Amino acid sequence: DTGVSQDPRHKITKRGQNVTFRCDPISEHNRLYWYRQTLGQGPEFLTYFQNEAQLEKSRLLSDRFSAERPKGSFSTLEIQRTEQGDSAMYLCASSVGLRDRTYEQYFGPGTRLTVT
Amino acid sequence: AQKITQTQPGMFVQEKEAVTLDCTYDTSDPSYGLFWYKQPSSGEMIFLIYQGSYDQQNATEGRYSLNFQKARKSANLVISASQLGDSAMYFCAMREGLGTSYDKVIFGPGTSLSVIP
């Protein structure tokens, strides 16, 4: 399978704990995006990377959230001191970048986070 | 202000009929792209169709076509010959600043489509 993969698919954690999610993009894609989706809503942009550089970061990404893409391949999204409001689906997507005339983003299956 | 508006929270269509899902957008950027994604109950986001602001013709992909009216800032999705498998959430999305490093896609609230046999 050469699509975008995310791990874990589901995470249940207690309030106050830290969690980390991983995203592996399609191998030749140099752009990687993180979104958050709550029930009944469209995905909300969190951040994106061009290779290893984090170029855009949403105001939604509070100080408790951090994302990395150290070698320009996989990315991690960490949430510290989780709160119940963090419960959502976290989606990762990748795209070819500036060379891609369609600008299509390919999404992974998501990580569903439940904070109890 | 909402950048992407989808005024139909839910739609029903008879199998084999055509259906139009509405989307209006707001931007002052001359270079932007519009997307439609499908999200079935399984949760995956599936890319359907793309329209660039400078594209002269409306985009088509199989049974999907995008009715792009630039002056009205609307980008409606038309699904022809609806199938039961088309039942899903449909999201309209916009990306501004095409060709630049600014890369942020804004999604609308979605329309839930139900295809009736």
Side-chain angles (χ1 to χ4, degrees), chain A residues 31 33 37 48 103-105, chain B residues 37 39 95 101 103 105:
Chain A
R31 290 198 174 184
Y33 314 79
Q37 186 178 23
Y48 97 94
Y103 304 97
E104 175 184 347
Q105 294 183 7
Chain B
Y37 283 86
Q39 189 175 43
R95 175 181 162 175
S101 62
D103 190 351
V105 177

Side-chain angles (χ1 to χ4, degrees), chain B residues 99-117:
Chain B
T100 71
S101 62
Y102 180 78
D103 190 351
K104 178 178 175 180
V105 177
I106 305 297
F107 285 79
T111 294
S112 175
L113 177 67
S114 298
V115 180
I116 304 166

Side-chain angles (χ1 to χ4, degrees), chain A residues 9 31 33 35 37 40-43 45 48 55-56 58 91 95 98 101-109, chain B residues 35 37 39 42-47 50 89 91 95 98-110:
Chain A
R9 295 290 305 276
R31 290 198 174 184
Y33 314 79
Y35 294 86
Q37 186 178 23
Q41 302 294 319
F45 172 84
Y48 97 94
L55 297 186
E56 187 77 22
S58 166
L91 295 167
S95 73
L98 292 179
R101 290 180 60 193
T102 66
Y103 304 97
E104 175 184 347
Q105 294 183 7
Y106 295 80
F107 281 81
Chain B
F35 306 80
Y37 283 86
Q39 189 175 43
S42 56
E44 61 185 307
M45 293 287 287
I46 303 168
F47 168 78
Y50 166 82
M89 282 293 290
F91 293 99
R95 175 181 162 175
L98 296 185
T100 71
S101 62
Y102 180 78
D103 190 351
K104 178 178 175 180
V105 177
I106 305 297
F107 285 79

Side-chain angles (χ1 to χ4, degrees), chain B residues 8-76:
Chain B
Q8 307 152 313
M11 289 279 286
F12 291 88
V13 64
Q14 203 74 38
E15 192 178 6
K16 301 181 184 177
E17 297 292 312
V19 64
T20 298
L21 306 183
D22 294 341
C23 172
T24 57
Y25 59 92
D26 181 27
T27 182
S28 57
D29 192 331
S31 181
Y32 56 91
L34 297 156
F35 306 80
W36 278 91
Y37 283 86
K38 171 184 178 182
Q39 189 175 43
S41 56
S42 56
E44 61 185 307
M45 293 287 287
I46 303 168
F47 168 78
L48 295 178
I49 197 166
Y50 166 82
Q51 178 86 43
S53 57
Y54 291 119
D55 293 341
Q56 295 298 314
Q57 292 188 324
N58 286 347
T60 60
E61 290 285 348
R63 295 186 299 111
Y64 305 107
S65 61
L66 201 152
N67 183 4
F68 182 47
Q69 297 187 44
K70 195 170 181 177
R72 297 180 61 183
K73 293 189 175 179
S74 76
N76 298 338

